[in-house]
Amino acid sequence: MAQKAAKQQAARNSATLKRTHLVSLAITILFVFLRLYLFRASCTRATYLLYSLFSAPALIIEIWFERIGRPVNAPNGELKKPGEDLEAKGLTDFMWDVLYWTWACTITASIFGDKAWWGYAVIPLYSVWLAWSTFGGMRKGMAGMSGGDVGGDTANGALSNRQKKQEKRGGQKMQNR
């Protein structure tokens, strides 16, 4: 069972990419069907222009996922490269969020019309919130690394229960570094 983890990753990536492409195709067909046949009166050239504009990021993300996540086999059928992990945290996770939100906006726009594309404005707001919360977490984590004691003496609230008991018994005073 050589490369069991790599083979499992390759199988997961292949299944994820197949499912992603099928869902994207189904949503595109739904959009075209609903706009052309059911809501024909509200369908204009701007509708397809907006669809093209706002679906472009999802298409680019799908192409990127296909490029980095598709397993590569050698000519003899042996697994050469399993592809990157499509379930990774960080940028990949954010790209999945953008893809899902694009699909949701496309479905909403196909049912409710062109004004539903305003829901796409949530993505930049989400990006700002994500960056701010990440920066805030880093800032709090780095605050203890400053070296000097900003507030003077350490307050008892910063001591653990064990440290408080030792000080109460008359043991040496604990210092936080």
Side-chain angles (χ1 to χ4, degrees), residues 21-156:
H21 295 323
L22 288 175
V23 169
S24 184
L25 179 66
I27 289 173
T28 301
I29 290 171
L30 176 77
F31 180 83
V32 171
F33 176 77
L34 288 177
R35 289 282 108 198
L36 277 180
Y37 296 110
L38 268 89
F39 304 115
R40 188 178 192 113
S42 66
C43 186
T44 63
R45 182 178 286 172
T47 301
Y48 293 107
L49 181 66
L50 287 170
Y51 172 76
S52 300
L53 179 70
F54 289 119
S55 293
L59 180 64
I60 292 168
I61 289 171
E62 277 191 65
I63 291 169
W64 178 251
F65 282 161
E66 181 71 32
R67 189 166 179 188
I68 68 166
R70 181 66 64 186
V72 177
N73 293 322
N76 62 359
E78 197 174 298
L79 183 65
K80 187 175 179 181
K81 181 181 155 199
E84 297 292 325
D85 185 14
L86 294 178
E87 298 172 2
K89 298 292 180 199
L91 184 61
T92 307
D93 198 26
F94 176 74
M95 291 171 100
W96 280 112
D97 292 342
V98 171
L99 188 68
Y100 294 147
W101 191 249
T102 302
W103 288 348
C105 286
T106 304
I107 292 170
T108 308
S110 66
I111 296 170
F112 297 113
D114 293 342
K115 293 198 188 319
W117 288 113
W118 280 101
Y120 210 71
V122 169
I123 293 176
L125 296 174
Y126 175 66
S127 300
V128 169
W129 174 80
L130 198 60
W132 181 259
S133 63
T134 302
F135 175 71
M138 284 179 22
R139 191 178 56 192
K140 287 178 186 174
M142 299 275 201
M145 297 175 64
S146 62
D149 208 8
V150 177
D153 209 14
T154 314
N156 278 345

